[in-house]
mmCIF file of all heavy atoms in Angstrom:
data_model
loop_
_atom_site.group_PDB
_atom_site.id
_atom_site.type_symbol
_atom_site.label_atom_id
_atom_site.label_comp_id
_atom_site.label_asym_id
_atom_site.label_seq_id
_atom_site.Cartn_x
_atom_site.Cartn_y
_atom_site.Cartn_z
ATOM 1 N N VAL A 1 -21.110 -126.897 -107.473
ATOM 2 C CA VAL A 1 -20.593 -128.248 -107.374
ATOM 3 C C VAL A 1 -19.874 -128.481 -106.082
ATOM 4 O O VAL A 1 -20.060 -129.492 -105.421
ATOM 5 C CB VAL A 1 -19.628 -128.552 -108.568
ATOM 6 C CG1 VAL A 1 -18.965 -129.905 -108.421
ATOM 7 C CG2 VAL A 1 -20.425 -128.512 -109.879
ATOM 8 N N VAL A 2 -19.096 -127.499 -105.643
ATOM 9 C CA VAL A 2 -18.374 -127.578 -104.429
ATOM 10 C C VAL A 2 -19.313 -127.721 -103.221
ATOM 11 O O VAL A 2 -19.155 -128.507 -102.320
ATOM 12 C CB VAL A 2 -17.377 -126.423 -104.222
ATOM 13 C CG1 VAL A 2 -16.804 -126.391 -102.835
ATOM 14 C CG2 VAL A 2 -16.280 -126.483 -105.272
ATOM 15 N N ALA A 3 -20.335 -126.896 -103.225
ATOM 16 C CA ALA A 3 -21.318 -126.905 -102.131
ATOM 17 C C ALA A 3 -21.950 -128.260 -102.008
ATOM 18 O O ALA A 3 -22.153 -128.788 -100.915
ATOM 19 C CB ALA A 3 -22.346 -125.797 -102.310
ATOM 20 N N ARG A 4 -22.326 -128.834 -103.153
ATOM 21 C CA ARG A 4 -22.984 -130.146 -103.144
ATOM 22 C C ARG A 4 -22.007 -131.222 -102.699
ATOM 23 O O ARG A 4 -22.366 -132.126 -101.948
ATOM 24 C CB ARG A 4 -23.494 -130.452 -104.546
ATOM 25 C CG ARG A 4 -24.266 -131.742 -104.625
ATOM 26 C CD ARG A 4 -24.908 -131.917 -106.003
ATOM 27 N NE ARG A 4 -25.590 -133.205 -106.090
ATOM 28 C CZ ARG A 4 -26.829 -133.399 -105.700
ATOM 29 N NH1 ARG A 4 -27.522 -132.409 -105.174
ATOM 30 N NH2 ARG A 4 -27.393 -134.596 -105.853
ATOM 31 N N LEU A 5 -20.744 -131.120 -103.155
ATOM 32 C CA LEU A 5 -19.761 -132.078 -102.689
ATOM 33 C C LEU A 5 -19.561 -132.069 -101.200
ATOM 34 O O LEU A 5 -19.486 -133.081 -100.589
ATOM 35 C CB LEU A 5 -18.421 -131.780 -103.424
ATOM 36 C CG LEU A 5 -18.159 -132.437 -104.745
ATOM 37 C CD1 LEU A 5 -16.873 -131.872 -105.396
ATOM 38 C CD2 LEU A 5 -18.034 -133.918 -104.608
ATOM 39 N N LEU A 6 -19.439 -130.865 -100.664
ATOM 40 C CA LEU A 6 -19.175 -130.763 -99.225
ATOM 41 C C LEU A 6 -20.352 -131.330 -98.399
ATOM 42 O O LEU A 6 -20.146 -132.020 -97.387
ATOM 43 C CB LEU A 6 -18.937 -129.305 -98.844
ATOM 44 C CG LEU A 6 -17.633 -128.685 -99.361
ATOM 45 C CD1 LEU A 6 -17.627 -127.196 -99.114
ATOM 46 C CD2 LEU A 6 -16.423 -129.359 -98.731
ATOM 47 N N ALA A 7 -21.566 -131.000 -98.863
ATOM 48 C CA ALA A 7 -22.757 -131.537 -98.129
ATOM 49 C C ALA A 7 -22.801 -133.051 -98.211
ATOM 50 O O ALA A 7 -23.108 -133.760 -97.229
ATOM 51 C CB ALA A 7 -24.002 -130.919 -98.735
ATOM 52 N N ALA A 8 -22.510 -133.599 -99.395
ATOM 53 C CA ALA A 8 -22.580 -135.058 -99.571
ATOM 54 C C ALA A 8 -21.496 -135.757 -98.758
ATOM 55 O O ALA A 8 -21.756 -136.774 -98.148
ATOM 56 C CB ALA A 8 -22.447 -135.388 -101.082
ATOM 57 N N GLU A 9 -20.289 -135.200 -98.779
ATOM 58 C CA GLU A 9 -19.221 -135.834 -98.039
ATOM 59 C C GLU A 9 -19.477 -135.853 -96.542
ATOM 60 O O GLU A 9 -19.188 -136.822 -95.827
ATOM 61 C CB GLU A 9 -17.857 -135.132 -98.338
ATOM 62 C CG GLU A 9 -17.380 -135.420 -99.772
ATOM 63 C CD GLU A 9 -15.940 -134.984 -99.962
ATOM 64 O OE1 GLU A 9 -15.392 -134.219 -99.112
ATOM 65 O OE2 GLU A 9 -15.340 -135.394 -100.968
ATOM 66 N N ARG A 10 -20.079 -134.757 -96.043
ATOM 67 C CA ARG A 10 -20.429 -134.751 -94.630
ATOM 68 C C ARG A 10 -21.501 -135.799 -94.328
ATOM 69 O O ARG A 10 -21.448 -136.458 -93.259
ATOM 70 C CB ARG A 10 -20.957 -133.327 -94.291
ATOM 71 C CG ARG A 10 -21.183 -133.088 -92.821
ATOM 72 C CD ARG A 10 -21.309 -131.630 -92.479
ATOM 73 N NE ARG A 10 -21.615 -131.490 -91.102
ATOM 74 C CZ ARG A 10 -22.819 -131.147 -90.595
ATOM 75 N NH1 ARG A 10 -23.795 -130.957 -91.442
ATOM 76 N NH2 ARG A 10 -23.025 -131.002 -89.329
ATOM 77 N N ALA A 11 -22.445 -135.968 -95.232
ATOM 78 C CA ALA A 11 -23.504 -136.953 -95.010
ATOM 79 C C ALA A 11 -22.943 -138.404 -95.115
ATOM 80 O O ALA A 11 -23.271 -139.254 -94.319
ATOM 81 C CB ALA A 11 -24.633 -136.788 -96.056
ATOM 82 N N PHE A 12 -22.079 -138.635 -96.101
ATOM 83 C CA PHE A 12 -21.471 -139.953 -96.207
ATOM 84 C C PHE A 12 -20.696 -140.321 -94.929
ATOM 85 O O PHE A 12 -20.803 -141.443 -94.421
ATOM 86 C CB PHE A 12 -20.460 -139.997 -97.397
ATOM 87 C CG PHE A 12 -21.100 -139.860 -98.761
ATOM 88 C CD1 PHE A 12 -20.320 -139.504 -99.848
ATOM 89 C CD2 PHE A 12 -22.426 -140.049 -98.986
ATOM 90 C CE1 PHE A 12 -20.846 -139.365 -101.114
ATOM 91 C CE2 PHE A 12 -23.023 -139.926 -100.229
ATOM 92 C CZ PHE A 12 -22.199 -139.563 -101.327
ATOM 93 N N LEU A 13 -19.902 -139.363 -94.461
ATOM 94 C CA LEU A 13 -19.078 -139.614 -93.275
ATOM 95 C C LEU A 13 -19.984 -139.861 -92.053
ATOM 96 O O LEU A 13 -19.723 -140.765 -91.252
ATOM 97 C CB LEU A 13 -18.161 -138.423 -93.017
ATOM 98 C CG LEU A 13 -17.247 -138.538 -91.810
ATOM 99 C CD1 LEU A 13 -16.385 -139.795 -91.882
ATOM 100 C CD2 LEU A 13 -16.388 -137.305 -91.679
ATOM 101 N N ALA A 14 -21.035 -139.078 -91.913
ATOM 102 C CA ALA A 14 -21.953 -139.255 -90.787
ATOM 103 C C ALA A 14 -22.557 -140.641 -90.856
ATOM 104 O O ALA A 14 -22.703 -141.333 -89.810
ATOM 105 C CB ALA A 14 -23.051 -138.204 -90.818
ATOM 106 N N SER A 15 -22.983 -141.103 -92.033
ATOM 107 C CA SER A 15 -23.562 -142.435 -92.178
ATOM 108 C C SER A 15 -22.580 -143.494 -91.732
ATOM 109 O O SER A 15 -22.990 -144.487 -91.022
ATOM 110 C CB SER A 15 -23.979 -142.635 -93.649
ATOM 111 O OG SER A 15 -24.501 -143.954 -93.827
ATOM 112 N N ILE A 16 -21.355 -143.382 -92.103
ATOM 113 C CA ILE A 16 -20.339 -144.364 -91.706
ATOM 114 C C ILE A 16 -20.121 -144.338 -90.217
ATOM 115 O O ILE A 16 -20.090 -145.399 -89.538
ATOM 116 C CB ILE A 16 -19.005 -144.060 -92.419
ATOM 117 C CG1 ILE A 16 -19.114 -144.375 -93.949
ATOM 118 C CG2 ILE A 16 -17.844 -144.858 -91.850
ATOM 119 C CD1 ILE A 16 -17.950 -143.935 -94.748
ATOM 120 N N LEU A 17 -19.949 -143.176 -89.655
ATOM 121 C CA LEU A 17 -19.655 -143.065 -88.231
ATOM 122 C C LEU A 17 -20.853 -143.533 -87.338
ATOM 123 O O LEU A 17 -20.632 -144.137 -86.289
ATOM 124 C CB LEU A 17 -19.263 -141.650 -87.843
ATOM 125 C CG LEU A 17 -17.976 -141.159 -88.537
ATOM 126 C CD1 LEU A 17 -17.689 -139.730 -88.106
ATOM 127 C CD2 LEU A 17 -16.786 -142.055 -88.216
ATOM 128 N N LEU A 18 -22.068 -143.199 -87.733
ATOM 129 C CA LEU A 18 -23.204 -143.690 -87.011
ATOM 130 C C LEU A 18 -23.257 -145.213 -87.002
ATOM 131 O O LEU A 18 -23.600 -145.838 -86.002
ATOM 132 C CB LEU A 18 -24.508 -143.132 -87.614
ATOM 133 C CG LEU A 18 -24.797 -141.607 -87.371
ATOM 134 C CD1 LEU A 18 -25.923 -141.148 -88.252
ATOM 135 C CD2 LEU A 18 -25.076 -141.379 -85.896
ATOM 136 N N ALA A 19 -22.913 -145.796 -88.157
ATOM 137 C CA ALA A 19 -22.954 -147.262 -88.267
ATOM 138 C C ALA A 19 -21.873 -147.914 -87.401
ATOM 139 O O ALA A 19 -22.120 -148.889 -86.663
ATOM 140 C CB ALA A 19 -22.812 -147.679 -89.712
ATOM 141 N N THR A 20 -20.654 -147.380 -87.478
ATOM 142 C CA THR A 20 -19.558 -147.980 -86.723
ATOM 143 C C THR A 20 -19.703 -147.713 -85.189
ATOM 144 O O THR A 20 -19.399 -148.587 -84.407
ATOM 145 C CB THR A 20 -18.196 -147.443 -87.196
ATOM 146 O OG1 THR A 20 -18.203 -146.043 -87.179
ATOM 147 C CG2 THR A 20 -17.943 -147.957 -88.594
ATOM 148 N N ASP A 21 -20.258 -146.581 -84.836
ATOM 149 C CA ASP A 21 -20.517 -146.298 -83.433
ATOM 150 C C ASP A 21 -21.535 -147.290 -82.905
ATOM 151 O O ASP A 21 -21.371 -147.848 -81.802
ATOM 152 C CB ASP A 21 -21.134 -144.872 -83.261
ATOM 153 C CG ASP A 21 -20.099 -143.780 -83.479
ATOM 154 O OD1 ASP A 21 -18.927 -144.100 -83.571
ATOM 155 O OD2 ASP A 21 -20.506 -142.592 -83.587
ATOM 156 N N ALA A 22 -22.601 -147.544 -83.649
ATOM 157 C CA ALA A 22 -23.639 -148.464 -83.211
ATOM 158 C C ALA A 22 -23.100 -149.876 -83.103
ATOM 159 O O ALA A 22 -23.408 -150.608 -82.158
ATOM 160 C CB ALA A 22 -24.833 -148.416 -84.198
ATOM 161 N N ALA A 23 -22.275 -150.268 -84.104
ATOM 162 C CA ALA A 23 -21.680 -151.628 -84.067
ATOM 163 C C ALA A 23 -20.791 -151.805 -82.832
ATOM 164 O O ALA A 23 -20.841 -152.870 -82.157
ATOM 165 C CB ALA A 23 -20.910 -151.851 -85.357
ATOM 166 N N CYS A 24 -20.023 -150.798 -82.500
ATOM 167 C CA CYS A 24 -19.168 -150.906 -81.315
ATOM 168 C C CYS A 24 -19.985 -151.018 -80.029
ATOM 169 O O CYS A 24 -19.571 -151.685 -79.075
ATOM 170 C CB CYS A 24 -18.259 -149.663 -81.215
ATOM 171 S SG CYS A 24 -16.919 -149.606 -82.455
ATOM 172 N N ALA A 25 -21.180 -150.412 -80.037
ATOM 173 C CA ALA A 25 -22.054 -150.462 -78.845
ATOM 174 C C ALA A 25 -22.941 -151.683 -78.889
ATOM 175 O O ALA A 25 -23.714 -151.877 -77.932
ATOM 176 C CB ALA A 25 -22.861 -149.180 -78.772
ATOM 177 N N GLY A 26 -22.887 -152.485 -79.941
ATOM 178 C CA GLY A 26 -23.718 -153.671 -80.051
ATOM 179 C C GLY A 26 -25.158 -153.364 -80.429
ATOM 180 O O GLY A 26 -26.066 -154.180 -80.193
ATOM 181 N N HIS A 27 -25.385 -152.218 -81.070
ATOM 182 C CA HIS A 27 -26.724 -151.821 -81.510
ATOM 183 C C HIS A 27 -26.836 -151.854 -83.036
ATOM 184 O O HIS A 27 -25.842 -151.827 -83.737
ATOM 185 C CB HIS A 27 -27.050 -150.392 -81.050
ATOM 186 C CG HIS A 27 -26.947 -150.231 -79.539
ATOM 187 N ND1 HIS A 27 -26.541 -149.051 -78.971
ATOM 188 C CD2 HIS A 27 -27.203 -151.093 -78.517
ATOM 189 C CE1 HIS A 27 -26.523 -149.208 -77.627
ATOM 190 N NE2 HIS A 27 -26.921 -150.470 -77.361
#
């Protein structure tokens, strides 16, 4: 359960940061 949680949290965070990075760059 812990391994799955860690992998999912890393993916959720990456999805958020990719989106906000792109928005800041106007993409």
